[in-house]
Amino acid sequence: MDLLRSGTRFIPKTLNDDGDNAVTYLPAADTTELEKQRGYKPLYVGLGLVGLAAVLTLTTGLLVWHFHLRREEMILKKMYFGSMSITNQRFIDSYNNPNSQEFQQLGVQVYLFTAHQCCLPSLSVAVCLSASKTYTYHIGKLPTGTIESPGFPNSPYPSDTYIQWRLHAERGHRVQLMFDYFDLEDDCQKDFIRVYDSLVPLEQQVMTEKCGYYKRNEPLSVVSSGNVMLLTLVTNKEKNYPGFRATYSQVPLQSQDCGGKLTGLKGTFTSPNFPSHYPPQTTCVWDIEPVKSNNKCPKDHVEVNNEKICGYKPYITVVTVRDNRTTVTFKSDMSYVDTGFTADFEAFVPTNPCPGKFACANNLCINNPLTCDGWDDCGDNSDERNCKCGSDQIQCRNGLCKSKFWLCDKVNDCGDNTDEGNCGSCQSGDFSCRNGGCISENLKCDGRPDCPDGSDESKCSRSVVMQCSEYTYQCKNNQCISKLNPECDEDVDCEDGSDEADCQCGKRPYRHSRIVGGQDSSEGEWPWQVSLHVQGSHVCGASIISDRWLVTAAHCVQDNVEVKYSQPQQWEAYLGLLVQSQSNKWTVKKNLKQIIQHPGYNKDSYDNDIALMELDSPVELSQNIWPVCLPSATHDFPPGKSVWITGWGDTMELGFAASILQKAEVRIINSTVCETLMEGQTTPNMMCAGVLEGGVDACQGDSGGPLSFIETSGNVFLAGVVSWGDGCARRNKPGVYTRVTKYRDWIKRSTGV
Ligand code: ARG
């Protein structure tokens, strides 16, 4: 059938567009107006770039011919898009604006003859990039299909590419796109994908832009508002990553759980598609009527909240409605979608909203002991006001009480700095030297050590050669330099280059997500993590430091009456393991040749809780088996910084061991604070890390495993070894780790590493 004559379809070959009837992709397409106009006039593009002119003239000519001569045959509700290529330019934001200098310098002039103004803003965008390839898929004929970046999974995607995939679902459906593998360069300025709620890359209809890595167990998924979607991949010259694989399918328009009536005294509802991205242009209205208005609470008075909430809320947000019913409306506009929300509702009796509990100002109910404890448990701080501070608390000027553990930890816990004033003796404008003393800020990084310990020269971009001390880094040639943590920071600081030698350690073959939450690790995420087994079961963790040596905790290799843990033949080391009892082709099982327990290990105090294990033969290093970097003796891991703990230990105090390698982010805690929190049981050979609110920690079975510090260069350093704790994940009880910097020389002497 001649599609043109039939009046149903028009497929201009040069435009590679099938003019699908889903006219959802341009704003303000008003059909009544369209009817008056009787069809579309052509899109005419003139540009000052030689070479393209011929092609364009041809295209334009064809279009003019088609449109003018066939005008009366057009279906009225159609949109046509043209695109042209400027192959030697990279798209920059200002090209969105035809009036910008950049746009005009590009020598592009765009004329659009159309009955409909709404096309205008789209054109400058449509002009922006030349697709090296366009794929078009019609879902419906085949219910699902797969899209992969070029070369996936065998080779990285190519450089300098722009590819687009157009997806059409059947009428009355949405397009759903789910990425089951996603690994692009981390910088979205360089390589990225974009998903549009249209068939052409209109800025106003970008749903999302993504780069970096997404974990397999948290698939990334997006849904369109209508029956079309466009996926684009843009890459630059440098760094090509494995890419992505995605599955597309269609879902009926009405299938989404969006709005409705909610009854009952308690319940939960979420934005459509949660925890995946909600579709654009969606409105959901929930009627919450928890208490039937005729019974129980006839005296309730009315107060309606018209509060709008948006953005990311890391803490719980409470909205109180003083009425026996309310509506919640969720709305998404044309562009940029996100993962939405999950909400709980609960009805309460206004005269006694929290029987037996503390009622926060926002009507959240919390347990009484949580009031006046220094933590904002309500979310609006109302549990921390009007408190009488205890003797173990700081009285903040603003009336709050905070645990005195927080004094001078460089975090403004009071909110008004009461806890951080009067800490050092230095005045403002002065630099406080690490070992005490003040010097003028101006002397910092001036190339001359002014503090007695030289610490004024230690956090500088340039390094000075200095007398060796606990604040300097010693190069292989024995010279000491002032720069803090110069190893593997991608700048050569030592004259002999030794600070940048051996920097293959601690590199992870796959970069890992910035998605927070979720505890399972992914394959190859912690390639130095080892599982140590005795008699067939996991007992302790360890870290790979070379192809022959592991570091673990001394208490793991301590004999007891039943088992001689100090004997190498008791142990089996599993390297490259993710799931216990699921070895795969990357997993290597090794026996041990020798175990060296630290001679200073004290089984009562757990001081010097570190041991070395030698494998019976070297392991072949791979993406899943890789050594972590050992920090130099003077490497600084500052309090407040993030570190990662990993292991197959218990997931709860008195709980069960994990089967998938778990990971959690905790923070390094100041040693004097930790000394107090742990009631004087720590030594300078220990280091504390945790989340003092509780809930995140290492636990039984994690011992011996790594405390991994990810440096900005990407190299991961072994900051600590899981050692002990008071229970697990209790409030104000951090985990205690063996401070690895203290053992750098001992490790070198014992293993040569
Ligand atoms: N000693 C424990 C083990 O053998 C590790 C305890 C770590 N505890 C903690 N709360 N961080 O596995």
Side-chain angles (χ1 to χ4, degrees), residues 538-541 553 555-556 606 609 645 649-650 653 678 689-690 696-705 721-730 733-737:
H538 169 90
V539 174
C540 270
H555 80 260
C556 289
Y606 273 42
D609 191 12
I645 46 179
D650 296 353
E653 188 173 332
M678 302 313 277
V696 188
D697 194 7
C699 201
Q700 303 327 313
D702 291 321
S703 281
V721 175
V722 180
S723 179
W724 62 279
D726 184 353
C728 300
R730 298 185 187 169
K733 292 292 173 192
V736 186
Y737 300 80

Side-chain angles (χ1 to χ4, degrees), residues 282-399:
T282 300
T283 305
C284 310
V285 180
W286 289 271
D287 269 310
I288 305 184
E289 204 173 331
V291 183
K292 291 275 177 286
S293 39
N294 51 2
N295 50 28
K296 283 185 193 132
C297 307
K299 286 187 200 134
D300 289 357
H301 56 278
V302 180
E303 196 179 293
V304 184
N305 295 59
N306 277 328
E307 197 185 329
K308 280 190 183 164
I309 307 169
C310 63
Y312 174 66
K313 300 268 176 288
Y315 303 105
I316 185 167
T317 305
V318 182
V319 179
T320 309
V321 182
R322 299 198 162 268
D323 192 358
N324 57 9
R325 58 170 306 163
T326 189
T327 22
V328 178
T329 305
F330 165 78
K331 245 192 176 126
S332 61
D333 67 359
M334 281 175 66
S335 57
Y336 289 101
V337 291
D338 215 316
T339 52
F341 67 88
T342 174
D344 295 324
F345 67 89
E346 190 169 353
F348 64 94
V349 182
T351 46
N352 184 13
C354 299
K357 291 185 163 190
F358 175 81
C360 304
N362 57 19
N363 284 300
L364 193 68
C365 305
I366 62 163
N367 290 331
N368 288 319
L370 298 181
T371 59
C372 298
D373 66 347
W375 300 105
D376 173 15
D377 298 284
C378 284
D380 62 3
N381 243 322
S382 54
D383 55 322
E384 297 300 319
R385 300 205 191 284
N386 308 320
C387 296
K388 224 180 117 262
C389 300
S391 60
D392 54 348
Q393 290 180 317
I394 314 160
Q395 172 78 65
C396 305
R397 274 192 295 274
N398 59 15

